[in-house]
Amino acid sequence: DNLEAVLGEAGMGLANVVRLNIYTTDIDEFFASYAAMSERFAAVGVAPPGTLLGVARLAFLELMVEIEATAVD
């Protein structure tokens, strides 16, 4: 939802995403929810390449996932 909101502010959507980097503190837990994210991209006909990285922590302790997206218009 957050990614779509940010893209929307720039006049873009998920179809404009050309690369994703995903940082997570729990790879197994992330994969439990991965289908929901990939379905949203599939619905707009894109499957951007990217990297999944397991990290010890993110900037805020309560966060589990950070998504870095590159989008082009």
Side-chain angles (χ1 to χ4, degrees):
D1 290 342
N2 291 344
L3 178 56
E4 286 184 284
V6 170
L7 290 166
E9 290 293 319
M12 294 187 274
L14 292 178
N16 296 97
V17 176
V18 296
R19 185 180 60 125
L20 285 176
N21 287 331
I22 302 167
Y23 305 88
T24 182
T25 57
D26 188 333
I27 290 175
D28 293 327
E29 185 68 24
F30 174 79
F31 276 127
S33 302
Y34 181 73
M37 186 179 75
S38 62
E39 287 171 5
R40 289 172 91 162
F41 279 101
V44 295
V46 296
T51 302
L52 174 62
L53 299 165
V55 296
R57 62 169 283 197
L58 295 168
F60 299 100
L61 292 174
E62 67 273 12
L63 297 180
M64 187 184 95
V65 175
E66 179 178 321
I67 299 173
E68 174 187 21
T70 302
V72 296
D73 190 21

